Amino acid sequence: MLNAVFSSDLADDAEKGLHQAANKANWAGENSQVTKEFIGKTAGEFQDAHTQAQTIHNILSDTAGELKNYQAQLAVAIERGLKKNLTVMDTGKGTFTVTMNVHPDRAASGYTPPEHDEGDVTALRDEVQKILSKATESDNSANTVLTALVDQTDYGFSDASYTDRDSAAAAIKEADELAKLAKKDPEDLTPAEFDKLKAGLKSYAHDPLFAERFATDLGPEKTLEFWAGINDPHKAAQLGQARVDQYGDLQRNLSLTLATASQSGSAAMTEWKGRMITLGDHPIGGQMGPMGFQVMSNLMRVGDYDDQFLKSYGTALMATERKLTDNGEHRNPAWQRMGVEPWLNRMGGDSGSDPLTGYLRALSNSPDAATDFFNEEYLPKGGDHKEAVSNFKYLFEDREWPQETDLKGHDIHPGQNNLAMALEAATTGHPAGELPTADTPAHNAGQTKLFESLVSSISDDNERLTKNGYMSDSIGQITSEYLPDINRAMTDDSDGDTNKLFPVAGSAATLNHRDVTALLISVGQNPEGYAAVEVANKSYMANLMDYHMNPDLLADDRYSKDTQFAIEQLAHGSGEISGTLAIGRQEAVAGPAAEKDDAYDHAVSQWKNGISGVVGTGIGIGTAFIASPVAGAAAGGAAGTASSMILEELFKNAEGHAKDDAGAVMGERWESGLDENASYSEKAAELAAKAHNRTDLQDMSIDEKARAAAQQGFRDAGTNTEYMAPHLKTEI
């Protein structure tokens, strides 16, 4: 017990003393990419070591208790036998025999041994055999569970946790039984067996021992044949008629199970992953069957798959894609669903014929794998291409995506939507659809490199985003988490002095003013994208004013001794960003998008609901650069801080402004945007000055100076757009 307590304390110390402290530190250069990652992994290993030690302790304790009980039962049985002159003898060969304890001919003088008959001998033999069988079963069960537990990782420790041996043994037994069902021919699988399989996978999907045992029992070939088979109406017509409405649940839980299994480092699972990748370009279930990639990618839409498996799988998948399209010269006909082919995705939306759709959805849950995948380059064969092409460029710019319709015949774009989500994970470091937290690491070099490519690509041809508006929510979230980098670019500061004005932890993206202007105009043409950046921009401004007004800020961290000048520069930068977004909003009203103006205000209100309770960490500041205590509180969104109060001002004004005439809307919204942005800046400066008791700044009317600077920044957005991106504006 003492060791268990010590291990727990060690794990807690590693998490609090190492990991959390590392996340709060201001890492830069190699530290942000190597040392911090190492500390995080080390802290995790301490926790896993404690988890595994506790699980082994639980299993051994459980088994030892049972064996002691069987030992006591055996002693009682032997004692009962002695009363009938019977004893149990070990033969030394793993067996035993029941024999007479004292032969009457050799009994001591005057002693008459107890009598027994053949039935007593048989009864004692059976009783002892039953006890020993149970003890052997208990011992074998512990051996099976402990072996499976240790095999989970090739090195290090497993995070599999069990409170007793029986629960772990039950998981393995269930895995064996369900794998047998999944191995059956689809036409032989009954609805009752389907129900058992679905229920079992749902119960055990996140159980590491179950998942690894199920996947390796079933094997990669049978895994693919199972999913392809039950979705083939020619092979599983009766099952489909009875249970097709439940295929989506099965797909989800099978995906979760395989994702859990992929995290195992056992030799069997390593072989499974390698074989699964090899099967990617092979037909499944016959020469006319779908490719392995098409089947497996639909089993990757949910769950957290092993990063290395995802990267290796993605490399092989893209090699097949390039082979089938002649390096992107034409559409991939093999992955365009024809009417007679099985519908491999049962979770709603697309048919599942394009394996990149499911694979990109998997990447959206695995940021590190996504970053590596998009930055991976290949050298095209033949033609005039001499430079390597990244997976990002191929998918975002060059690929001709298969046409998709849902079950109702409506045109949908699942591949490109999942592409945007995968890019969100790849550039931000957290799964798509989530908000950054205090534990989200600072951006690394791979993430900023990809963001630079994204900004440059949209600037080069903004229709890559504006004609695919469904991607804008993810691109908007990405943009909101790179506001420090964007602000730096918009200062046009060649010597980098303004880097202190907009601090960045970790790696910083290198951008230019023209490109970020085009990005903001493009993102601003979609309500969700606009809302994500506009809300983040206001909070970021408030946090920075809070930060730069802090009298305890170290001299080396100050942008200028003239705090008033710093605040004016912040207000100007925030104003230009809001103004540029407003131009994008105008385009949505005046241009071909023809969005209703009130959709923007509704999106802002919805964004408020989405970040309720996490204001600060969830509004686009993906890096923990705020060092002062007061500013740190603002970054956390504490009630009453400058950040939270300025956001309330923003949301209070998020009301509909729809008008019938586009020109009138453009003029009115520009004017109201100018006024509101100035008002927000003024309020932020006022609240920050009060928070730090900066009466000196209050006496110099810092709030009014911030208002004027914000107005000028907003107006400058219009001027800069005219000269930097005139092709992006619609003439009225």
Side-chain angles (χ1 to χ4, degrees), residues 30 53-54 78 115 128 194 210 226 438 441 538 570 593 606 672 692:
E30 286 299 308
Q54 185 66 56
I78 292 174
E115 294 183 357
V128 171
F194 174 92
F210 168 88
F226 167 73
K538 292 299 184 291
L570 294 177
Q606 290 297 106
S672 63
H692 292 289

Side-chain angles (χ1 to χ4, degrees), residues 196-338:
K196 178 176 174 60
L197 184 59
K198 181 169 73 77
L201 291 175
K202 182 178 181 179
S203 297
Y204 284 98
H206 299 288
D207 186 299
L209 294 189
F210 168 88
E212 193 272 351
R213 184 71 165 231
F214 174 83
T216 54
D217 269 4
L218 184 57
E221 286 93 346
K222 285 295 183 182
T223 299
L224 298 176
E225 289 173 7
F226 167 73
W227 186 246
I230 68 169
N231 283 287
D232 187 340
H234 302 293
K235 294 182 178 180
Q238 291 184 336
L239 180 63
Q241 290 175 0
R243 293 291 186 270
V244 69
D245 60 324
Q246 298 179 36
Y247 278 15
D249 289 338
L250 179 64
Q251 180 183 358
R252 178 178 300 278
N253 292 310
L254 178 56
S255 300
L256 289 171
T257 300
L258 296 178
T260 302
S262 75
Q263 300 293 341
S264 170
S266 72
M269 197 62 212
T270 299
E271 182 180 351
W272 187 99
K273 288 182 276 193
R275 179 60 179 160
M276 180 60 77
I277 293 171
T278 301
L279 292 169
D281 60 356
H282 289 61
I284 303 301
Q287 288 302 312
M288 300 303 293
M291 283 188 182
F293 285 129
Q294 291 178 285
V295 182
M296 184 59 202
S297 290
N298 283 292
L299 300 178
M300 302 172 82
R301 291 176 182 252
V302 294
D304 181 14
Y305 272 84
D306 172 63
D307 283 353
Q308 188 55 55
F309 171 63
L310 284 177
K311 287 186 278 188
S312 299
Y313 184 96
T315 298
L317 173 61
M318 290 302 294
T320 302
E321 160 77 10
R322 293 193 297 272
K323 179 181 177 181
L324 294 172
T325 62
D326 292 330
N327 287 315
E329 291 298 319
H330 55 76
R331 182 174 294 181
N332 184 347
W335 294 345
Q336 175 71 60
R337 183 179 182 273
M338 309 305 288

Side-chain angles (χ1 to χ4, degrees), residues 24-104:
K24 294 176 182 177
N26 186 19
W27 300 95
E30 286 299 308
N31 276 335
S32 67
Q33 302 163 46
V34 180
T35 311
K36 186 177 181 182
E37 180 181 3
F38 171 77
I39 288 176
K41 290 183 177 179
T42 301
E45 281 294 303
F46 273 107
Q47 185 61 53
D48 288 348
H50 171 254
T51 299
Q52 184 165 320
Q54 185 66 56
T55 296
I56 292 174
H57 175 271
N58 292 340
I59 293 170
L60 291 177
S61 177
D62 195 21
T63 306
E66 287 188 0
L67 292 178
K68 287 179 180 179
N69 180 261
Y70 293 137
Q71 183 183 43
Q73 292 179 33
L74 190 61
V76 170
I78 292 174
E79 182 64 28
R80 191 184 310 114
L82 288 174
K83 292 179 180 179
K84 293 188 176 184
N85 196 29
L86 295 174
T87 189
V88 180
M89 301 287 292
D90 181 8
T91 66
K93 299 177 182 179
T95 61
F96 69 92
T97 183
V98 177
T99 185
M100 189 181 296
N101 186 37
V102 180
H103 195 280

Side-chain angles (χ1 to χ4, degrees), residues 32 103 115 117 151 216 329 345 368 553 571 611 640 663 679:
S32 67
H103 195 280
E115 294 183 357
D117 56 25
D151 284 347
T216 54
E329 291 298 319
N345 172 39
D368 291 343
L553 187 63
I611 64 172
S679 174

Side-chain angles (χ1 to χ4, degrees), residues 464-577:
R464 290 169 180 154
L465 179 60
T466 58
K467 284 195 172 181
N468 303 298
Y470 41 82
M471 302 175 74
S472 294
D473 53 348
S474 288
I475 306 302
Q477 181 60 34
I478 293 169
T479 303
S480 76
E481 295 188 41
Y482 279 87
L483 282 171
D485 315 71
I486 290 171
N487 272 278
R488 285 183 174 188
M490 298 181 87
T491 62
D492 299 312
D493 178 18
S494 60
D495 62 7
D497 287 342
T498 51
N499 289 356
K500 288 185 178 181
L501 185 62
F502 303 103
V504 172
S507 178
T510 301
L511 310 166
N512 66 57
H513 200 155
R514 178 178 60 83
D515 286 351
V516 296
T517 295
L519 171 69
L520 292 170
I521 292 174
S522 303
V523 170
Q525 294 184 44
N526 175 271
E528 285 76 21
Y530 170 91
V533 184
E534 176 68 345
V535 173
N537 182 42
K538 292 299 184 291
S539 180
Y540 179 61
M541 171 191 63
N543 278 319
L544 276 187
M545 287 186 176
D546 191 332
Y547 172 77
H548 284 288
M549 285 193 201
N550 190 338
D552 297 327
L553 187 63
L554 297 176
D556 289 345
D557 294 330
R558 291 190 178 280
Y559 164 62
S560 171
K561 292 182 180 180
D562 186 347
T563 305
Q564 174 187 319
F565 177 68
I567 298 305
E568 288 176 338
Q569 292 302 299
L570 294 177
H572 183 280
S574 177
E576 183 174 352
I577 288 178

